[in-house]
Structure formats: structure tokens, C-alpha cells
Amino acid sequence: MWSAQDVARDQIRRQVNGLDMAAVAEKVAEAAARECETAEQLRRGGSFSEFESDPERLAAIWAAKHVEWQRIRDLMAQDGWGAYEPGQDAHGSKWAQEREERRDDALVARAAFEARRREEADELRTELWLSAAPSRLIRAAADRAGLMPVQVLAQLAERVVAGEGGTVSVPPFTPSR
């Protein structure tokens, strides 16, 4: 759901609060080293560890972390901050809010998808073979109503009434759009 940049910014934002310039410089150096290591490992085609299933993504995340740590270091130097405070970082705060909005949108979309799946579980999809006489009647009714035969059958099924003793009937109706 999140890009490598999103993952890097989110992880760093949780780590950086209160760090001074020296600590941030260490993080820049660590990220640079890890970026080189993962890029080299990716070039050689080896795996990073048993826990990392996507070496390309890991390399992209470390590259993004390196860029983000550098951005924070430069911001602190430019603005003369003694320690990093996320609330003062306008770009970082904006990105965090955008990530949260995308996350919330994705959660809403996922919930809607799950609701549709639950509804579909109650639906019945079937293939129906009718003999010639009933088939002609359904086609004629569909032609008169300007519908497809399957639409007439769906309307017919929606109107089925189950009686006592297991009888099934359909009250008279006119198929419509």
C-alpha cells in the first residue's frame, strides 16, 4: 500500500523525535551504508535474510531512508535546530497526514470490498437450460419488455413465493426495466 518513500518517512518519523544533530548524522551514515549493502546484495542476486522476501523493495526502502535522513539533517542545519521536533517539520507533517489519509481511504475501500463480498456470498449464480417451449415463452416476454432473457428470469426469481407444504408459485407480473 505504501511506497518505499512512505515506509521510510513513517519509520524515521517514529525514530527521530528529540534526536540532536550528531545522532541524525549517525543515522545518515548508517542509512548510506545500508543503502550500499542492499544495492550490492541486489546486484549479486543473493538474499538478504530469511525474513526479507522482496530484496528490491528492501533496497528501495534503504535508499529512501538515506534520502529522508539527509533531508532531516539539512533541515536541522538550515533552521538551526538543536533537536528534531516532528511538529516543526512542515514537509514531514504534510507527508504524514497524506499517508494517514491514504491509509484511511484504503481502509474504507477495503471495508466496502468486504461488504460486497459478503453480499455476493448470498447471491446465486447459475446456468439454466430450458427446453424449447419455456425458452420461447421467456424470450417472447423479454422481447416485449426490451430485456434480455436472463433479466426476465431474474425478475421471475425475485417474485417467487414459497407456500406451505413446499409449493412454489409466482404471482402474475409484467417484466419491466
Side-chain angles (χ1 to χ4, degrees):
M1 178 169 86
W2 284 1
S3 68
Q5 291 79 13
D6 287 332
V7 170
R9 289 173 183 154
D10 183 62
Q11 289 176 357
I12 290 170
R13 191 163 177 87
R14 285 187 266 129
Q15 297 173 9
V16 72
N17 192 23
L19 294 183
D20 63 9
M21 184 61 91
V24 170
E26 287 178 22
K27 294 290 190 177
V28 170
E30 177 189 356
R34 295 297 302 268
E35 179 184 14
C36 289
E37 289 172 10
T38 55
E40 179 59 32
Q41 192 71 18
L42 188 59
R43 277 191 292 278
R44 282 189 273 143
S47 67
F48 294 104
S49 74
E50 61 203 57
F51 304 110
E52 183 56 47
S53 61
D54 188 353
E56 290 177 6
R57 181 149 173 86
L58 182 62
I61 289 171
W62 274 108
K65 282 183 177 184
H66 185 207
V67 169
E68 182 63 6
W69 280 116
Q70 287 175 321
R71 184 192 72 79
I72 290 171
R73 178 199 60 203
D74 295 346
L75 177 66
M76 289 177 70
Q78 175 186 343
D79 292 351
W81 295 353
Y84 182 87
E85 292 183 35
Q88 292 180 328
D89 183 355
H91 289 309
S93 295
K94 180 181 174 194
W95 289 331
Q97 183 172 352
E98 289 172 354
R99 275 192 308 278
E100 284 303 310
E101 288 170 1
R102 285 195 314 270
R103 179 183 170 276
D104 291 345
D105 291 347
L107 289 175
V108 167
R110 179 65 185 189
F113 172 76
E114 290 297 327
R116 282 192 308 274
R117 280 190 51 208
R118 283 190 299 276
E119 277 183 23
E120 288 172 357
D122 291 339
E123 292 179 358
L124 173 64
R125 295 176 187 266
T126 185
E127 188 170 315
L128 179 65
W129 293 86
L130 297 173
S131 62
S135 180
R136 279 191 294 275
L137 290 173
I138 295 294
R139 282 195 182 113
D143 285 342
R144 282 192 303 272
L147 299 171
M148 306 244 335
V150 70
Q151 293 170 309
V152 172
L153 288 170
Q155 289 182 23
L156 186 68
E158 288 172 355
R159 289 168 172 80
V160 167
V161 176
E164 293 180 31
T167 62
V168 178
S169 63
V170 177
F173 75 98
T174 304
S176 61
R177 288 187 180 253

